[in-house]
């Protein structure tokens, strides 16, 4: 009897340049653009490049026990803005994630960044940053935690500038 050695490779399935379904992409865009429309700001467009970068970052976090790091991501000599959401014990949706970030709107007072935030509102201001044109998002499961990452190009939240 011959022995057969079976090797399974753990490779994430990536379609359309990200790990999200068309429905999830649509949900992310609609949710972001809803908050931008409230202020008369141009709609964001989906970027597979940003989605791939967000996924790479998510896989890096997963490899490192999903350490909670958030901020500006440097990749291929381009700076991207970033929002990350962690949740544990429940499953989230793209619109739920964006809504959670946008709830920071209650702390927002129109002014130069960061003076526009009476508390924390950097996730919200990244969503509504006037110069941002593209967004790409990804999702990673880390044990019982979900990590949702969106990256923005050009980034926002520049000190001394108004969001719109």
């Amino acid at each position: 009897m011959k022995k057969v050695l079976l090797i399974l490779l753990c490779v994430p399935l990536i379609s359309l340049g990200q790990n999200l379904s068309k429905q999830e992409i649509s949900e992310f865009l609609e949710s972001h653009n809803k908050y931008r429309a409230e202020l008369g700001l141009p709609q964001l467009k989906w970027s597979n490049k940003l989605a791939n970068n967000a996924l790479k970052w998510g896989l890096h976090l997963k490899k490192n026990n999903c350490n909670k790091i958030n901020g500006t991501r440097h990749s291929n000599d381009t700076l991207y803005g970033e929002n990350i959401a962690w949740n544990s014990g429940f499953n989230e949706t793209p619109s739920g994630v964006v809504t959670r970030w946008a709830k920071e709107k209650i702390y927002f007072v129109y002014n130069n960044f960061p003076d526009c935030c009476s508390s924390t509102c950097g996730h919200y201001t990244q969503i509504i940053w006037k110069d941002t044109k593209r967004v790409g998002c990804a999702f990673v499961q880390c044990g019982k935690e979900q990590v949702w990452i969106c990256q923005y190009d050009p980034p926002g939240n520049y000190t001394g500038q108004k969001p719109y």
Side-chain angles (χ1 to χ4, degrees), residues 93-133:
T93 62
S95 61
V97 169
V98 176
T99 298
R100 189 172 358 151
W101 292 327
K103 284 183 178 180
E104 294 175 358
K105 178 180 179 180
I106 63 171
Y107 303 113
F108 176 78
V109 178
Y110 186 77
N111 202 343
N112 288 338
F113 187 85
D115 298 332
C116 60
C117 300
S118 60
S119 183
T120 178
C121 68
H123 294 100
Y124 173 67
T125 53
Q126 179 59 81
I127 291 170
I128 61 158
W129 201 263
K130 69 180 177 229
D131 295 331
T132 299
K133 302 197 179 340

Side-chain angles (χ1 to χ4, degrees), residues 42-159:
Q43 291 191 345
L44 297 178
K45 295 192 183 323
W46 186 260
S47 166
N48 286 337
K49 180 179 178 179
L50 292 173
N52 278 330
N53 199 59
L55 179 58
K56 285 179 194 172
W57 182 239
L59 293 172
H60 172 78
L61 292 175
K62 183 174 183 171
K63 185 177 175 182
N64 292 289
N65 300 319
C66 287
N67 290 325
K68 294 178 170 85
I69 301 169
N70 198 10
T72 300
R73 199 62 44 234
H74 184 73
S75 175
N76 299 324
D77 299 321
T78 303
L79 290 174
Y80 302 128
E82 180 176 87
N83 281 343
I84 297 182
W86 273 266
N87 56 290
S88 183
F90 67 98
N91 291 327
E92 189 63 270
T93 62
S95 61
V97 169
V98 176
T99 298
R100 189 172 358 151
W101 292 327
K103 284 183 178 180
E104 294 175 358
K105 178 180 179 180
I106 63 171
Y107 303 113
F108 176 78
V109 178
Y110 186 77
N111 202 343
N112 288 338
F113 187 85
D115 298 332
C116 60
C117 300
S118 60
S119 183
T120 178
C121 68
H123 294 100
Y124 173 67
T125 53
Q126 179 59 81
I127 291 170
I128 61 158
W129 201 263
K130 69 180 177 229
D131 295 331
T132 299
K133 302 197 179 340
R134 291 167 293 285
V135 64
C137 306
F139 161 82
V140 176
Q141 188 75 39
C142 289
K144 294 180 181 180
E145 286 190 340
Q146 290 184 329
V147 181
W148 295 86
I149 302 166
C150 287
Q151 293 189 344
Y152 303 85
D153 184 42
N157 294 347
Y158 285 106
T159 300

